[in-house]
């Protein structure tokens, strides 16, 4: 099968949508298909088009649908689609109507959609290659510092300095140290990070790091903080769980859809005091940290690459009658 994947993120970028598109391309190639990843659909004779980002990929989705109305179109829903664009963008809503199926990265997506679209939704959790042996989940050990990683580019939607601000409010005796990995998207963000390091002894901005180093920091951290204002289903959550590092997350649908309603380590978006309390509790209350670890351990199978491949295989099999009819 000839499959096109369209993502508005430019080549060689490290934005989440680009990372997702490249991982899906590898999976689909492994299933025996011919796959191309581009920023826009330009008339190629694909049997199937997968478009990431309903609003920004709408021109590609429309062009493909007009050229091949009988062929399947999959629209992958991003956090920006779900929690920003859909209420105000006619293009985003039209993409969903054109789609044969909608791919979501977590289980709460249907709550944001009109009821008639629910039957189109298929959930595909983003997988992570498992390291050798079982996940670590060592609950912090007896280190001199209680390292908390924040992994993500410095962008306003990520609320990137929330953990640093929370760390300022911890008791003087606290062992918490914030390790922030990610590139600044502009000089103003970089300057703020440098200024924060000067006044906050608990905060270290490490900038952009190679993937092996990011994984190392994640595995060695006691906790990972995700403070985003919106996410479609952040890959860092699955990476942290597979690495054996419990998560403290802002209470947004994209994270609740991955971690579950009953996860005990949410704080409200922008709530510095709430995050500070969770950091303090995680670093001083061993039983609480074990609860987080136990919860995350049960989620590890969701992010197994074999499971993601299986779901993609099932999804393509579901589309086979449409593909046969289109020939």
């Amino acid at each position: 099968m000839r499959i096109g994947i369209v993502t508005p993120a430019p080549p060689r970028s490290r934005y989440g949508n680009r990372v997702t598109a490249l991982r899906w391309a590898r999976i689909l190639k492994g299933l025996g298909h011919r796959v191309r990843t581009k920023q826009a659909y330009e008339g190629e004779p694909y049997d199937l088009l997968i478009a990431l980002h309903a609003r920004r990929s709408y021109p590609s989705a429309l062009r493909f649908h007009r050229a091949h109305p009988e062929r399947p179109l999959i629209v992958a829903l991003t956090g920006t689609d779900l929690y920003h664009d859909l209420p105000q963008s006619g293009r985003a809503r039209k993409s969903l109507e054109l789609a044969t199926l909608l791919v979501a990265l977590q289980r709460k997506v249907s709550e944001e959609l009109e009821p008639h679209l629910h039957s189109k939704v298929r959930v595909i959790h983003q997988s992570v290659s498992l390291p050798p042996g079982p996940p670590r989940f060592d609950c912090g050990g007896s280190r001199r510092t209680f390292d908390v990683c924040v992994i993500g580019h410095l962008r306003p939607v990520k609320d990137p300095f929330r953990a640093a601000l929370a760390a300022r409010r911890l008791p003087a005796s606290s062992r918490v140290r914030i390790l922030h990995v990610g590139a600044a998207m502009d000089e103003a963000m970089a300057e703020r990070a440098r200024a924060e390091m000067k006044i906050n002894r608990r905060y270290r901005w490490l900038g952009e790091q190679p993937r092996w180093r990011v994984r190392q920091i994640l595995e060695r951290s006691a906790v990972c903080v995700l403070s985003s204002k919106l996410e479609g289903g952040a890959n860092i959550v699955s990476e942290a769980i597979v690495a054996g590092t419990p998560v403290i997350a802002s209470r947004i649908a994209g994270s609740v859809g991955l971690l579950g309603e009953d996860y005990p380590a949410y704080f409200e978006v922008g709530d510095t005091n709430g995050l500070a309390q969770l950091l303090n509790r995680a670093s001083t209350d061993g039983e609480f940290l074990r609860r987080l670890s136990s919860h995350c351990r049960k989620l590890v199978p969701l992010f197994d690459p074999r499971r993601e491949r299986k779901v993609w295989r099932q999804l393509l099999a579901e589309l086979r009658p449409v593909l046969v009819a289109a020939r």
Side-chain angles (χ1 to χ4, degrees):
M1 187 191 308
R2 299 162 299 179
I3 300 176
I5 301 179
V6 171
T7 173
R12 293 181 295 279
S13 76
R14 297 186 68 180
Y15 285 103
N17 291 339
R18 186 76 187 180
V19 173
T20 297
L22 293 176
R23 188 180 64 256
W24 286 352
R26 288 193 298 271
I27 291 170
L28 295 170
K29 287 177 182 177
L31 294 175
H33 304 287
R34 289 175 287 169
V35 185
R36 292 190 67 188
T37 302
K38 301 186 67 176
Q39 284 187 268
Y41 173 67
E42 298 173 332
E44 297 87 348
Y46 301 135
D47 300 304
L48 162 67
L49 185 71
I50 302 171
L52 280 84
H53 204 300
R55 178 180 62 82
R56 295 179 64 189
S57 291
Y58 169 72
S60 292
L62 180 62
R63 194 176 302 125
F64 180 78
H65 179 74
R66 285 177 172 172
H68 307 288
E70 74 287 358
R71 298 182 186 179
L73 167 68
I74 294 175
V75 173
L77 297 167
T78 70
T80 305
D81 288 329
L82 292 164
Y83 308 114
H84 183 270
D85 288 346
L86 281 177
Q88 57 194 26
S89 171
R91 284 188 162 201
R93 293 191 294 272
K94 288 176 183 176
S95 285
L96 272 56
E97 299 294 340
L98 293 175
T100 310
L101 293 177
L102 302 171
V103 166
L105 304 180
Q106 42 86 7
R107 293 165 288 187
K108 291 181 72 66
V109 164
S110 292
E111 296 177 8
E112 308 299 324
L113 304 178
E114 295 292 332
H116 73 280
L117 295 171
H118 291 182
S119 62
K120 292 186 178 184
V121 176
R122 304 293 182 272
V123 177
I124 301 181
H125 290 96
Q126 299 187 87
S127 67
V128 178
S129 296
L130 293 167
R136 175 177 52 84
F137 291 111
D138 65 2
C139 296
S142 56
R143 309 172 183 131
R144 289 188 304 107
T145 59
F146 185 90
D147 286 347
V148 175
C149 63
V150 178
I151 297 176
H153 296 317
L154 279 62
R155 301 164 55 203
V157 71
K158 301 291 186 180
D159 198 9
F161 299 105
R162 192 59 51 194
L165 296 174
R168 292 193 206 175
R169 303 188 184 187
L170 294 172
S173 59
S174 175
R175 298 181 295 129
V176 167
R177 178 175 65 164
I178 308 297
L179 302 177
H180 194 164
V181 178
M185 295 293 97
D186 55 46
E187 184 55 30
M189 280 289 189
E191 182 54 38
R192 181 172 176 185
R194 289 189 288 264
E196 184 68 27
M197 284 195 289
K198 290 179 181 178
I199 63 173
N200 186 349
R201 66 179 178 84
R202 301 186 190 279
Y203 176 75
R204 290 180 61 194
W205 176 46
L206 305 178
E208 190 165 18
Q209 296 289 324
R211 188 158 184 80
W212 68 265
R213 178 62 173 148
V214 176
R215 169 54 72 89
Q216 185 181 70
I217 292 168
L218 184 58
E219 290 179 343
R220 292 180 178 179
S221 295
V223 166
C224 177
V225 168
L226 178 67
S227 53
S228 297
K229 298 176 183 178
L230 62 86
E231 293 280 359
N235 197 44
I236 190 57
V237 173
S238 51
E239 289 182 354
I241 289 171
V242 171
T245 304
V247 179
I248 294 177
S250 51
R251 189 185 294 277
I252 56 174
S255 294
V256 175
L258 291 172
L259 292 164
E261 295 280 359
D262 59 342
Y263 189 62
Y266 294 122
F267 63 97
E268 300 305 319
V269 172
D271 182 3
T272 305
N273 283 335
L275 176 53
Q277 290 170 10
L278 285 169
L279 289 175
N280 189 53
R281 187 176 179 188
S283 61
T284 60
D285 184 343
E287 179 55 35
F288 178 64
L289 195 57
R290 281 189 287 275
R291 281 177 59 203
L292 302 189
S293 296
S294 176
H295 186 107
C296 290
R297 186 181 295 110
K298 294 174 184 176
L299 298 176
V300 169
L302 287 178
F303 310 112
D304 189 324
R306 292 169 297 183
R307 187 179 192 276
E308 189 174 22
R309 285 195 297 271
K310 179 181 178 181
V311 176
W312 269 113
R313 188 182 293 110
Q314 291 171 338
L315 187 152
L316 295 179
E318 182 181 355
L319 290 175
R320 191 167 294 127
V322 180
L323 290 163
V324 171
R327 291 172 181 166

